[in-house]
Amino acid sequence: MVILTNRKLSHYIPLMIRIYHFPRTRGFRVIWLCEELKIPYEVINIDFAPEYRFGKDYGKLNPLGKVPTLVDEETIMSESGAMLQYVLDKFGGGRLQPGADESSRAAFLQWCWFGEATFSRPISEIVNHKRNFPENPKQDVIDEMKKRCRACMNVVEKEMEGKDYILGNDFSAADIMIGYNFVPYSRYTEEVLSPNVASYYERLCSREAFKRAVEAETK
Ligand SMILES: N[C@@H](CCC(=O)N[C@@H](CS)C(=O)NCC(=O)O)C(=O)O
């Protein structure tokens, strides 16, 4: 694996999956999955300044100027959950997701979508609100988003009773979709993780692939 920073995109020939990333953002999900599957990938940590994100190079890959972006040959993607599904389907060989005919498939899809569409969303609203209105943040907006974050956390807390992973005994990519949220949750709501969630998160952090992913994104 090679880690590059701010490389000129136009001078670059892709040899493996590239993940345009910024440390401690959603691209971590993709890095973590690649580590779990032990497939080669490359991280390109971009300059997060709007001038770069909306500039002529990166702006072509990701018109919303967000991270992550995944590039695999001709394929360009800008939704982390879709990237996970793409990588699982193309390189996973059936690992880390139940098959379409398995009874846990619906739960798998449910928790993957919950991870981004429902749980990440209010966390991001707090981040965006503070970033866009640093001088004049609206506390009632932030409080409402914190309430929504807590509601998501309560759902996970209840679901994790007596379980190792969100689908039961087996780790899956749904744990990546959900688990990514725990650090920004604590940082932006200023709340500690509830007991079942805290031990779930510890279990996730103790995975070798998780540790390698942390190293890869911060190199
Ligand atoms: N739903 C998208 C969200 C992407 C997203 O919002 N990324 C954040 C970093 S985690 C970002 O680039 N924010 C900058 C902005 O919104 O301007 C995904 O899952 O990839």
Side-chain angles (χ1 to χ4, degrees):
M1 177 205 328
V2 187
I3 313 286
L4 302 170
T5 305
N6 297 343
R7 184 138 177 189
K8 273 222 174 249
L9 309 187
S10 48
H11 297 167
Y12 193 55
I13 300 163
L15 294 172
M16 58 183 99
I17 287 180
R18 276 177 285 158
I19 305 158
Y20 293 90
H21 179 55
F22 187 73
R24 288 171 291 281
T25 62
R26 286 168 174 85
F28 182 75
R29 286 176 171 145
V30 192
I31 298 172
W32 183 5
L33 177 64
C34 290
E35 288 290 351
E36 292 282 354
L37 294 174
K38 293 198 167 71
I39 59 166
Y41 67 94
E42 182 176 29
V43 176
I44 301 178
N45 277 330
I46 69 156
D47 177 351
F48 204 67
E51 295 73 28
Y52 183 80
R53 288 192 284 130
F54 293 102
K56 64 176 169 44
D57 275 341
Y58 191 71
K60 267 188 220 145
L61 292 178
N62 193 317
L64 286 175
K66 291 177 183 276
V67 281
T69 300
L70 177 148
V71 179
D72 177 35
E73 299 177 355
E74 301 301 309
T75 301
I76 302 175
M77 301 178 78
S78 53
E79 281 293 334
S80 62
M83 292 173 203
L84 260 62
Q85 198 58 59
Y86 173 81
V87 169
L88 285 170
D89 292 345
K90 186 165 175 188
F91 304 103
R95 291 173 291 165
L96 302 188
Q97 65 170 337
D101 53 353
E102 287 183 52
S103 58
S104 54
R105 181 69 180 180
F108 171 77
L109 294 174
Q110 152 81 23
W111 289 117
C112 282
W113 283 74
F114 168 87
E116 173 61 20
T118 308
F119 198 173
S120 296
R121 185 175 166 203
I123 302 173
S124 291
E125 293 301 337
I126 300 174
V127 177
N128 294 337
H129 193 79
K130 288 187 171 172
R131 187 189 297 134
N132 292 341
F133 306 101
E135 307 299 332
N136 186 22
K138 291 208 171 5
Q139 198 53 46
D140 51 350
V141 172
I142 293 174
D143 288 345
E144 172 61 20
M145 292 306 140
K146 284 187 179 180
K147 201 169 104 190
R148 290 172 189 228
C149 288
R150 267 195 301 276
C152 292
M153 187 56 84
N154 291 341
V155 166
V156 180
E157 174 68 15
K158 202 161 161 224
E159 186 65 28
M160 287 311 298
E161 190 66 50
K163 280 189 188 177
D164 283 348
Y165 296 108
I166 202 76
L167 296 185
N169 295 329
D170 296 328
F171 176 82
S172 73
D175 296 298
I176 296 179
M177 287 303 294
I178 293 173
Y180 159 74
N181 290 305
F182 297 145
V183 169
Y185 173 88
S186 299
R187 186 177 310 141
Y188 295 108
T189 65
E190 292 150 19
E191 287 191 15
V192 292
L193 300 181
S194 51
N196 289 338
V197 173
S199 48
Y200 176 32
Y201 185 53
E202 248 174 60
R203 200 166 304 119
L204 296 177
C205 291
S206 68
R207 298 181 67 82
E208 291 307 315
F210 181 98
K211 292 180 202 163
R212 287 196 302 272
V214 169
E215 223 174 276
E217 74 156 358
T218 48
K219 245 180 209 160

